[in-house]
Amino acid sequence: MVQKKKEPGVVAKPEVSTEPKRRGRPRAYAPDVAIGQALALFRKGGFAATSLDDLSEVTGMNRPSLYGAFGDKRALYIKSYQRYRDDYTVKVLEIFKADIDIRERLRRFFDTALEIYLTGEEPRGCFTVMTVASDAIADPDIRELVYRGFADVDDAFGWCFRTAIKRGEMPDTVDVVALSQMASATLFSLSIRARAGVPRAELDVIVKGAIALVCGSTR
Amino acid sequence: MVQKKKEPGVVAKPEVSTEPKRRGRPRAYAPDVAIGQALALFRKGGFAATSLDDLSEVTGMNRPSLYGAFGDKRALYIKSYQRYRDDYTVKVLEIFKADIDIRERLRRFFDTALEIYLTGEEPRGCFTVMTVASDAIADPDIRELVYRGFADVDDAFGWCFRTAIKRGEMPDTVDVVALSQMASATLFSLSIRARAGVPRAELDVIVKGAIALVCGSTR
DNA sequence: CTTTTTTTGTACCATTTCGCATTAAATCCC
DNA sequence: GGGATTTAATGCGAAATGGTACAAAAAAAG
């Protein structure tokens, strides 16, 4: 979820401004908008249950245009997933800049995640979890992306706890890896329960309990 | 995952023994075996990505027979899911009979879960999670089953911790609900990471860390 | 204005999918 | 053996699906 040192390349580079005058017929769509709409649809039903017709309808692009712009369904799914991760990353990075203690940082982290998981008319959960839980995980490329997703989240939590130790909020005897794993597990739990329809109030209880357990065990 | 008092109705009642001499042409399949094969296939690809032809092939039944025996694809999915839960319940119930301390009980619980999640040539993860993460969760009946699944697991862990308190292994000041939620979250995490292909050794580390955190914080 | 380039939109194709109607087979009851 | 009953097997059909060919359209370049 966060890189070691360098600021990551946020979303796609904004080459939109003053486009270099393309040659042929102008596009009737904005690629990044279309990807966002495709992502929303994939997040609803997953890979297999989302048809190209559905995607064509929601993006307003007809199938040949979809194909020409993004490639086949699999390629579009991967692009959608990368978009999801980029959006997620941008939001989480905010939390790392703030000068706050571990409890507040975790609270904001989980809140941000819930905000994403509860997106849309109905809660969608985490797209990474959806991907793993589908047949898409059989694809090596997608599997690789998912692995990076796991590692980023674990690393992000690891950074949180190491920072807390440096700030003297936790003893340096705590098991950072174990704490990070528990925080990640909480994220999974929130994602799954959110998508299943568990009301926000219950999810907030889980967040509180997790923070208390993870931070409280250190004093 | 476990009922309050009564022994739950294990799998399907064994009405197989000395069947009451059916009238017409005998079945060429055993319904419970076919459900098991269907479950295995659904666990691989999920609802949408699993076709009736696939199910027909794996069960050895042709489509009309499948349809006549179990109803449409949705009905077959629900029956498969119930089978999954029944199998899970049977295994977990064993753990509750044993006279062991909380650490050992949790360890066996997680081990049993991993055994299920790692089923097959490739790890399959938890079928409940797969169901939630798919479009199947839009179905009210399926959603109801999933909710019961959540509640059963939470209750099972709750029973574990309350028993530990009674046995004097934990102070009665611990937040049983929060601990149960963390244990459930660990289960989700194991399910997702297992299906994504995380090797067993890493999963065992997560189990150890979770037990240490959940039990260790009480002393 | 003509050519070139790029995208759009219509139509099409091969395959898959779900479901069912119909016929053939196997067993029991009389 | 003859009829009744239940299941198996073949195959049809309508719809959906992923993907593509091809011509029309819209813009820049010459």
Side-chain angles (χ1 to χ4, degrees):
Chain A
M1 198 61 60
V2 81
Q3 269 72 3
K4 279 290 154 59
K5 288 273 151 44
K6 286 276 185 176
E7 189 95 322
V10 190
V11 196
K13 58 180 75 168
E15 43 118 44
V16 189
S17 59
T18 64
E19 64 274 2
K21 281 210 172 181
R22 308 183 55 87
R23 279 270 298 193
R25 176 171 177 170
R27 289 181 180 140
Y29 62 92
D32 51 332
V33 173
I35 289 284
Q37 292 161 328
L39 169 60
L41 209 59
F42 275 133
R43 287 190 67 187
K44 181 180 175 193
F47 181 81
T50 304
S51 74
L52 281 184
D53 278 335
D54 298 334
L55 291 164
S56 173
E57 189 186 351
V58 79
T59 57
M61 305 165 63
N62 42 41
R63 276 206 308 287
S65 292
L66 255 183
Y67 197 84
F70 307 115
D72 64 5
K73 192 177 163 183
R74 175 178 167 279
L76 181 53
Y77 186 86
I78 290 177
K79 284 186 170 66
S80 299
Y81 181 56
Q82 285 171 323
R83 167 62 159 281
Y84 172 79
R85 297 257 304 124
D86 288 341
D87 290 352
Y88 207 141
T89 301
V90 169
K91 291 191 177 181
V92 168
L93 276 182
E94 294 295 316
I95 301 169
F96 288 83
K97 296 177 188 158
D99 178 34
I100 47 183
D101 77 342
I102 181 66
R103 286 184 141 84
E104 175 64 12
R105 206 185 298 277
L106 289 179
R107 199 193 58 74
R108 288 197 198 175
F109 204 138
F110 290 133
D111 273 6
T112 298
L114 279 181
E115 187 186 312
I116 294 170
Y117 299 160
L118 297 174
T119 293
E121 2 180 309
E122 290 194 42
R124 300 292 182 224
C126 173
F127 197 38
T128 300
V129 172
M130 289 190 66
T131 301
V132 172
S134 74
D135 61 326
I137 198 59
D139 184 300
D141 296 338
I142 293 178
R143 188 185 292 248
E144 203 57 41
L145 287 173
V146 164
Y147 262 81
R148 287 207 24 168
F150 287 166
D152 284 354
V153 173
D154 291 340
D155 290 349
F157 280 123
W159 182 90
C160 291
F161 291 119
R162 281 194 302 275
T163 299
I165 293 172
K166 279 182 198 149
R167 291 164 58 106
E169 297 160 14
M170 293 177 128
D172 62 357
T173 54
V174 297
D175 185 343
V176 170
V177 172
L179 291 181
S180 302
Q181 293 282 12
M182 287 311 290
S184 293
T186 301
L187 229 39
F188 288 136
S189 181
L190 292 176
S191 159
I192 293 162
R193 291 178 194 262
R195 185 175 170 93
V198 171
R200 173 78 193 236
E202 281 184 50
L203 302 176
D204 287 334
V205 170
I206 294 178
V207 168
K208 274 194 176 175
I211 293 176
L213 197 73
V214 164
C215 298
S217 70
T218 68
R219 308 192 283 218
Chain B
M1 198 63 60
V2 81
Q3 269 71 4
K4 280 289 154 62
K5 289 270 149 47
K6 286 276 184 176
E7 189 94 321
V10 190
V11 196
K13 57 181 74 169
E15 42 118 44
V16 191
S17 58
T18 64
E19 64 273 4
K21 282 209 170 181
R22 308 183 56 88
R23 281 267 297 191
R25 175 171 176 169
R27 288 182 180 138
Y29 60 92
D32 51 331
V33 172
I35 289 284
Q37 292 161 326
L39 169 59
L41 209 60
F42 275 132
R43 286 190 68 188
K44 180 180 176 194
F47 181 82
T50 304
S51 73
L52 282 183
D53 278 335
D54 298 333
L55 292 164
S56 171
E57 190 186 351
V58 79
T59 57
M61 304 166 63
N62 42 41
R63 275 204 310 288
S65 292
L66 255 183
Y67 197 82
F70 308 115
D72 64 5
K73 191 176 163 185
R74 177 179 166 280
L76 181 54
Y77 186 85
I78 290 177
K79 284 187 171 64
S80 299
Y81 181 55
Q82 285 170 326
R83 167 62 159 282
Y84 172 79
R85 298 256 304 123
D86 288 341
D87 291 351
Y88 207 141
T89 300
V90 168
K91 291 191 177 181
V92 168
L93 276 182
E94 293 295 316
I95 301 168
F96 288 83
K97 296 176 188 157
D99 178 34
I100 48 183
D101 77 342
I102 181 68
R103 287 185 140 84
E104 174 64 12
R105 205 185 297 277
L106 289 179
R107 198 193 59 74
R108 288 196 198 176
F109 204 138
F110 290 132
D111 273 6
T112 299
L114 277 181
E115 187 185 310
I116 294 170
Y117 300 160
L118 298 173
T119 293
E121 359 180 311
E122 291 195 41
R124 300 293 182 222
C126 173
F127 197 38
T128 300
V129 172
M130 288 189 66
T131 301
V132 172
S134 73
D135 61 326
I137 197 59
D139 184 300
D141 295 338
I142 294 178
R143 188 185 292 249
E144 203 58 41
L145 287 174
V146 164
Y147 261 82
R148 287 208 24 170
F150 287 166
D152 283 354
V153 172
D154 291 340
D155 289 351
F157 280 122
W159 181 90
C160 291
F161 291 119
R162 280 194 303 275
T163 299
I165 293 172
K166 279 183 199 149
R167 291 164 58 107
E169 296 160 15
M170 294 177 128
D172 60 359
T173 54
V174 297
D175 186 342
V176 170
V177 172
L179 291 181
S180 302
Q181 294 282 12
M182 285 312 291
S184 293
T186 301
L187 228 40
F188 288 136
S189 180
L190 292 176
S191 159
I192 293 163
R193 290 178 195 263
R195 185 173 170 94
V198 171
R200 174 76 193 237
E202 283 186 48
L203 302 177
D204 286 334
V205 170
I206 294 178
V207 168
K208 273 193 177 176
I211 293 176
L213 198 72
V214 164
C215 298
S217 69
T218 69
R219 303 191 285 218

